[in-house]
Amino acid sequence: MTADDDRWAKYETQPDEIDTDAPDDMVVCRVCSGTYGQITAQHLRVHGMTLKEYRQEHSDAPIYPDHPDRQPGGGFEEHTEESKEKISEAIFGLHQEGHYE
């Protein structure tokens, strides 16, 4: 094992070794055991996987925390109608491009 292998070994945990306890405003990544505000596509790139692949491998793993303030779309009602329309169009475009499959 090289020094480079040792550095990455801490990220190679097995699912039965992962402690999924986290505060209610955080979630645990089932790949690296890291605690995050949510599991994002950007974080999963570190593991060489997409959000779709993560959901397939870890179907019981939450993407968002349980805490109501940390749910997707929180605070949307505070935006102006123009801002809501722009957000809606942007999200629709991402769905059309397949980002949320």
Side-chain angles (χ1 to χ4, degrees):
M1 185 178 279
T2 68
D4 207 34
D5 292 334
D6 288 339
R7 182 178 64 194
W8 293 106
K10 68 180 180 179
Y11 296 106
E12 296 174 1
T13 57
Q14 298 300 315
D16 58 343
E17 298 174 9
I18 293 177
D19 180 10
T20 58
D21 288 338
D24 70 342
D25 64 341
M26 302 293 275
V27 291
V28 176
C29 174
R30 297 288 174 91
V31 179
C32 68
S33 300
T35 307
Y36 303 96
Q38 72 182 47
I39 302 298
T40 64
Q42 181 178 358
H43 169 69
L44 293 175
R45 276 188 233 125
V46 171
H47 303 305
M49 64 189 335
T50 65
L51 192 54
K52 184 177 182 178
E53 292 168 337
Y54 181 83
R55 285 184 170 148
Q56 287 172 341
E57 278 188 42
H58 308 284
S59 58
D60 63 331
I63 302 297
Y64 298 99
D66 289 334
H67 196 280
D69 291 344
R70 298 300 302 265
Q71 295 299 308
F76 191 72
E77 62 279 348
E78 297 174 10
H79 289 277
T80 65
E81 289 304 314
E82 180 183 353
S83 179
K84 287 180 186 179
E85 185 64 30
K86 286 181 181 178
I87 293 168
S88 178
E89 289 171 3
I91 292 172
F92 180 76
L94 291 172
H95 278 281
Q96 294 296 96
E97 293 172 9
H99 291 278
Y100 294 111
E101 290 183 19

